[in-house]
């Protein structure tokens, strides 16, 4: 949901190097973990579907305050896991940048933002389900938390980096970015609710897809025996 829509050359060189380095380090760590631990076959299929859905909705941009949109990274994280979720964030950003949606130089920063959404959503969902939450509130809350984390990280990256050519002092830039973050938090709630409904539906028909194969998602019927 959060995404830096600034053009090429918006960030100073040191910031591009910093965020690209951190992005490469994250992707490298994810690839290492996948190669070491492997992934389940069904996760690969979910990753492909998740990447396609995320990329498609990613392009539906609302031209408000630099542009806002949903991207389903919270749902992707819950279904595909934190490792594949981070890789999907990278792939979606690469293809989006190729279409002019986001600067190529900001791939590292945007990958960090969107990967954080998937990672936080995954662990939040697992934690809430471990606390015996129902599927819908757990999915909705986890996705909202993940997307909120991405929104705050996006704001922090912009404020820390500064914007080349901007006449705004750092304090005024912070206020402007805070407004953008607030707008994204509102969209995060909407996308979180949508994610909750999707996860609830999947849990009712294929609980194994959301890691609930060993948990009863419905109450067992009771009866009287003679």
């Amino acid at each position: 949901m959060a995404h830096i829509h600034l053009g090429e050359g918006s960030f100073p060189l040191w910031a591009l190097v910093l965020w690209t380095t951190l992005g490469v380090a994250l992707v490298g760590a994810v690839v290492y973990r996948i190669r070491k631990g492997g992934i389940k076959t069904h996760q690969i299929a979910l990753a492909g579907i998740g990447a396609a859905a995320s990329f498609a909705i990613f392009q539906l941009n609302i031209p408000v305050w630099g542009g806002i949109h949903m991207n389903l990274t919270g749902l992707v994280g819950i279904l595909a896991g934190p490792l594949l979720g981070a890789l999907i964030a990278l792939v979606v950003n690469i293809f989006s940048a190729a279409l002019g949606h986001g600067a190529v130089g900001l791939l590292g920063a945007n990958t960090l933002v969107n990967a954080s959404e998937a990672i936080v959503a995954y662990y939040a969902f697992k934690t809430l389900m471990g606390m015996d939450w129902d599927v819908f509130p757990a999915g909705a809350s986890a996705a909202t938390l993940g997307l909120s984390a991405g929104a705050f990280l996006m704001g922090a990256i912009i404020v820390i980096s500064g914007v080349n050519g901007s006449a705004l002092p750092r304090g005024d830039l912070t206020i402007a970015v805070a407004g953008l973050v607030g707008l994204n938090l509102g969209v995060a709630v909407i996308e979180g609710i949508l994610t909750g409904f999707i996860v609830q539906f999947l849990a009712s028909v294929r609980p194994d897809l959301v890691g609930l194969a060993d948990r009863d998602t419905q109450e067992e019927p009771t009866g009287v025996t003679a």
Side-chain angles (χ1 to χ4, degrees), residues 58-78:
F58 211 80
Q59 311 312 313
L60 301 178
N61 192 46
I62 302 174
V64 177
W65 214 318
I68 58 174
H69 53 74
M70 294 190 294
N71 55 24
L72 302 181
T73 46
L75 177 64
V76 166
I78 292 172

Side-chain angles (χ1 to χ4, degrees), residues 44-60:
I44 299 177
L46 285 174
I49 296 171
S54 179
F55 175 74
I57 200 167
F58 211 80
Q59 311 312 313
L60 301 178

Side-chain angles (χ1 to χ4, degrees), residues 2-44:
H3 192 250
I4 302 174
H5 292 99
L6 299 174
E8 300 290 356
S10 298
F11 279 3
L13 181 60
W14 68 264
L16 292 178
V17 173
L18 172 62
W19 306 126
T20 300
T21 300
L22 292 177
V24 169
L26 173 63
V27 172
V30 166
V31 172
Y32 174 77
R33 288 284 303 276
I34 290 176
R35 288 178 61 88
K36 184 177 180 180
I39 53 177
K40 297 179 181 178
T41 303
H42 79 275
Q43 286 183 304
I44 299 177

Side-chain angles (χ1 to χ4, degrees), residues 135 197-207 210 212 217-218:
V135 176
F197 281 120
I198 296 174
V199 173
Q200 183 182 47
F201 171 75
L202 291 176
S204 68
V205 295
R206 287 289 303 275
V210 291
L212 301 178
T217 56
Q218 299 178 345

Side-chain angles (χ1 to χ4, degrees), residues 47-115:
I49 296 171
S54 179
F55 175 74
I57 200 167
F58 211 80
Q59 311 312 313
L60 301 178
N61 192 46
I62 302 174
V64 177
W65 214 318
I68 58 174
H69 53 74
M70 294 190 294
N71 55 24
L72 302 181
T73 46
L75 177 64
V76 166
I78 292 172
L79 296 182
L83 300 180
L84 289 178
L87 291 184
I88 290 172
L90 170 64
V91 171
V92 170
N93 273 290
I94 289 176
F95 281 100
S96 295
L99 295 179
H101 186 172
V104 175
L106 297 181
L107 279 176
N110 278 323
T111 297
L112 288 172
V113 170
N114 297 139

Side-chain angles (χ1 to χ4, degrees), residues 127-156:
T127 299
L128 294 176
M129 292 305 297
M131 296 168 61
D132 291 328
W133 280 42
D134 290 333
V135 176
F136 172 75
S141 298
T144 301
L145 286 173
L147 296 170
S148 298
F152 281 114
L153 180 57
M154 174 195 67

